[in-house]
Amino acid sequence: MSLLATHALYKSFGQLVVADGIDFELGPGDRHALIGPNGAGKTTFVNLLTGALAPSDGRVMLDGRDITRLGEAQRVKRGLVRTFQINQLFAGLTVLENVALAVAERRGAASVFWTPLRRRADLIDEAADLLVQLDLTAVADTAVAAVPYGLQRMLELALALALKPRVLLLDEPTAGVPSAESHRMLEAVEALGQDLAVLIIEHDMDVVFRFASAVTVLVGGKVLVQGAPDEIARNADVRAVYLAESRDD
């Protein structure tokens, strides 16, 4: 049974069509990659999934329920969580404090904003456990602004996991991270529970083929092809699209 699905998802801005009848499914435990050339509509599709954009037509389903008209916060509470291409972090707070605030948000502990975080041992303990899981304890008490960028990307993953997602959408999680360090993100994602569905949007084909058991290729807001990574690698249409993009560059 699909956990997340779209049916004929369509979005236009006047005459500009940015999502054109997209049918997509993600099941529990899936590790799925979304790829495509620049301007293919990948981030637009994620924005439609998360509620940052409202579709012009079509439906978004989560666990069999229509969530098309729900806002972003409501979708997060139902377990649909994303990370961003550009970090969304509190640079002046420590790594531990950032994660503790995410835990507090999930628990509805709004009072934490008016009392010292360190007094909330339950929040701190859960946040600390996530830092252990992602090997971030060495920088727990370091202000985010002073943490290397690769670790900031790991911290954003920790914030997402603090919200207890059922579906996790990773928008170019290794963007800006040196290739020698990107393996750390992949190892962390690979270690996530097998009941968690993960969709990764990524340009780096080495990352895609290491991570994904299935791949969807978007071109011009449409699904060009879906299949196993080896099928995608051999597909002549996919190769033509990427060859044309490299020539344009």
Side-chain angles (χ1 to χ4, degrees), residues 85 166 199 241:
Q85 290 182 25
R166 300 175 63 208
L199 174 64
V241 165

Side-chain angles (χ1 to χ4, degrees), residues 36-60:
N38 291 329
K42 301 182 295 295
T43 296
T44 295
F45 180 57
V46 171
N47 286 337
L48 290 167
L49 292 177
T50 59
L53 280 177
S56 304
D57 202 357
R59 293 183 296 158
V60 180

Side-chain angles (χ1 to χ4, degrees), residues 26 29-33 189-190 192-198 211-214:
L26 193 66
D30 282 356
R31 299 293 186 265
H32 201 113
V189 174
E190 288 168 352
L192 297 177
Q194 289 305 303
D195 57 336
L196 175 65
V198 182
F211 165 83
S213 55

Side-chain angles (χ1 to χ4, degrees), residues 5-10 17-25 32-37 39-42 45 48-49 199 214-227 232 235 237-238 241:
T6 66
H7 303 293
L9 198 63
Y10 181 88
V17 177
V18 293
D20 194 356
I22 299 175
D23 292 322
F24 176 81
E25 290 191 12
H32 201 113
L34 181 68
I35 67 173
K42 301 182 295 295
F45 180 57
L48 290 167
L49 292 177
L199 174 64
V215 179
T216 294
V217 183
L218 279 186
V219 178
K222 294 182 180 180
V223 174
L224 177 67
V225 63
Q226 301 185 79
I232 298 300
N235 187 282
D237 292 333
V238 174
V241 165

Side-chain angles (χ1 to χ4, degrees), residues 26 33 40 53 60 80 88 91 117 138 164 175 183 219 221 225 227 246 248:
L26 193 66
L53 280 177
V60 180
L80 179 57
Q88 307 287 309
L117 267 175
K164 298 288 188 184
H183 71 281
V219 178
V225 63
S246 67
D248 291 341

